[in-house]
């Protein structure tokens, strides 16, 4: 059985496991949703399959959703069906990548852990690290996987989720960490959502601070030193704009060896659309 380094894997480690793992490519561009799929066609890690943030990792259209916002979280059952369609079983080692820094790969990592899949790692540095390490790319559409009959959900979710109502009832009693850029957190600008600002009491830890200039995660001890002063005695909840980059902070805490935390999946894009929710600025 293939032993997969988790939660991160280096490009050289992935090259050594070529053909023995399922690679999921999650490249995406919030401003141009088709860009990731186009980049995949132009060149991807051999054998990889493409997963689309809107179509595969969010509840759009008539897909049952657990929250609102720009990238609503689908039910565990729906995502398990998506995973089975990709040919993934509980025994399948999975490596997730995106272009470089793990912004979108972290969402896939979190969702797989959420349905109980433990053998999953994020490629540190993404496709850029793969090519820098001498890895080749193949072009064109993905090879069709052999679908699994079903993906058996674990009885309890492997990751915790909180709703907007539950979060609002606990404001001031949880440590809430916002992964957005500082200017969006302060409310100076808001390029994506209808209201600027942040959830009252939230602390700002931009997900980009988890990365070095090479687009790879900082060392565990560096991440631990950065997150520890933010953590209170109670529950830690992560949010961002739409529940994507919050997963990056959750992954960073896992790398750092810190206790598991909770995701507010609807995040600011859900919160700010409800006039009952308080808003802070500055």
């Amino acid at each position: 059985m293939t032993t997969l380094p988790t939660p991160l894997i280096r490009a050289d480690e992935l090259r050594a496991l070529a053909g023995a793992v399922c690679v999921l490519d999650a490249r995406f561009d919030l401003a141009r949703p088709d860009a990731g799929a186009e980049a995949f066609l132009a060149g991807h890690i051999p054998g990889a399959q493409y997963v689309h943030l809107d179509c595969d990792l969010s509840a759009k259209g008539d897909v049952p959703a657990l929250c609102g916002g720009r990238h609503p979280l689908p039910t565990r059952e729906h995502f398990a069906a998506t995973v089975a369609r990709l040919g993934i079983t509980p025994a399948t080692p999975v490596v997730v990548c995106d272009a470089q820094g793990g912004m979108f790969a972290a969402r896939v990592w979190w969702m797989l852990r959420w349905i109980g899949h433990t053998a999953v790692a994020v490629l540190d540095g993404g496709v850029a690290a793969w090519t820098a390490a001498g890895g080749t790319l193949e072009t064109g559409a993905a090879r069709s996987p052999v679908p699994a009959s079903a993906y058996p959900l674990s009885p309890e979710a492997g990751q915790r989720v909180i709703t907007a109502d539950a979060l609002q009832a606990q404001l001031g009693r949880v440590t809430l960490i916002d992964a957005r850029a500082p200017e969006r957190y302060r409310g100076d600008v808001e390029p994506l959502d209808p209201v600027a600002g942040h959830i009252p009491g939230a602390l700002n830890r931009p997900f980009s601070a988890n990365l070095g200039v090479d687009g790879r995660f900082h060392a565990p001890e560096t991440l631990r030193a950065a997150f520890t002063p933010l953590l209170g005695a109670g529950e830690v909840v992560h949010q961002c704009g739409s529940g994507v980059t919050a997963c990056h902070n959750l992954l960073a805490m896992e790398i750092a060896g810190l206790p598991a935390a909770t995701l507010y999946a609807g995040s600011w894009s859900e919160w700010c659309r409800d006039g009952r929710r308080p808003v802070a600025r500055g």
Side-chain angles (χ1 to χ4, degrees), residues 128-270:
W130 171 263
T131 56
T136 60
L137 299 177
E138 66 179 12
T139 60
R143 306 166 195 169
S144 298
V146 177
S149 57
Y151 189 98
L153 286 173
S154 59
E156 295 186 3
Q159 297 283 347
R160 299 193 298 267
V161 183
I162 192 170
T163 65
D165 287 342
L167 176 60
Q168 184 166 348
Q170 297 178 58
L171 288 181
R173 300 197 302 275
V174 299
T175 298
L176 181 61
I177 300 177
D178 188 327
R180 294 176 300 161
E183 60 273 18
R184 289 189 67 199
Y185 167 83
R186 292 190 302 265
D188 300 343
V189 298
E190 183 43 68
L192 298 170
D193 296 310
V195 179
H198 60 267
I199 300 172
L203 306 173
N204 189 211
R205 166 66 184 182
F207 81 94
S208 57
N210 298 325
L211 304 170
V213 294
D214 59 357
R216 304 182 195 193
F217 280 86
H218 289 303
E221 57 271 19
T222 302
L223 294 171
R224 192 177 309 116
F227 275 96
T228 299
L230 302 177
L231 308 181
E235 183 179 10
V236 177
V237 178
H238 288 278
Q239 51 98 183
C240 55
S242 64
V244 177
T245 58
C247 296
H248 202 277
N249 275 348
L250 283 155
L251 173 58
M253 283 186 61
E254 176 95 359
I255 296 165
L258 293 167
T262 299
L263 174 67
Y264 169 36
S267 286
W268 181 249
S269 61
E270 176 185 48

Side-chain angles (χ1 to χ4, degrees), residues 2-282:
T2 301
T3 300
L4 187 68
T6 59
L8 291 181
I9 185 170
R10 300 190 312 269
D12 62 306
E13 293 174 321
L14 178 57
R15 290 188 69 188
L17 296 175
V21 300
C22 170
V23 178
L24 299 180
D25 188 323
R27 282 178 284 179
F28 196 77
D29 185 333
L30 292 173
R32 198 161 68 85
D34 292 333
E38 292 169 1
F40 181 88
L41 292 173
H44 54 266
I45 295 173
Q49 300 180 70
Y50 184 68
V51 286
H52 193 286
L53 177 61
D54 287 338
C55 303
D56 300 310
L57 309 175
S58 303
K60 298 294 181 80
D62 59 357
V63 174
L66 295 182
C67 63
R70 286 182 282 108
H71 297 107
L73 196 64
T75 63
R76 292 174 75 227
E77 291 78 10
H78 181 83
F79 185 60
T82 298
V83 168
R85 174 174 54 80
L86 294 169
I88 296 170
T89 74
T92 305
V94 179
V95 173
V96 191
C97 67
D98 54 25
Q100 185 180 54
M103 173 179 176
F104 302 105
R107 167 87 168 206
V108 189
W109 168 85
W110 185 92
M111 291 182 71
L112 283 165
R113 291 284 302 273
W114 180 50
I115 65 168
H117 196 88
T118 57
V120 54
V122 169
L123 175 59
D124 198 13
V127 175
W130 171 263
T131 56
T136 60
L137 299 177
E138 66 179 12
T139 60
R143 306 166 195 169
S144 298
V146 177
S149 57
Y151 189 98
L153 286 173
S154 59
E156 295 186 3
Q159 297 283 347
R160 299 193 298 267
V161 183
I162 192 170
T163 65
D165 287 342
L167 176 60
Q168 184 166 348
Q170 297 178 58
L171 288 181
R173 300 197 302 275
V174 299
T175 298
L176 181 61
I177 300 177
D178 188 327
R180 294 176 300 161
E183 60 273 18
R184 289 189 67 199
Y185 167 83
R186 292 190 302 265
D188 300 343
V189 298
E190 183 43 68
L192 298 170
D193 296 310
V195 179
H198 60 267
I199 300 172
L203 306 173
N204 189 211
R205 166 66 184 182
F207 81 94
S208 57
N210 298 325
L211 304 170
V213 294
D214 59 357
R216 304 182 195 193
F217 280 86
H218 289 303
E221 57 271 19
T222 302
L223 294 171
R224 192 177 309 116
F227 275 96
T228 299
L230 302 177
L231 308 181
E235 183 179 10
V236 177
V237 178
H238 288 278
Q239 51 98 183
C240 55
S242 64
V244 177
T245 58
C247 296
H248 202 277
N249 275 348
L250 283 155
L251 173 58
M253 283 186 61
E254 176 95 359
I255 296 165
L258 293 167
T262 299
L263 174 67
Y264 169 36
S267 286
W268 181 249
S269 61
E270 176 185 48
W271 185 276
C272 74
R273 284 171 168 80
D274 188 334
R276 300 173 301 161
R277 313 286 183 205
V279 173
R281 295 186 178 87

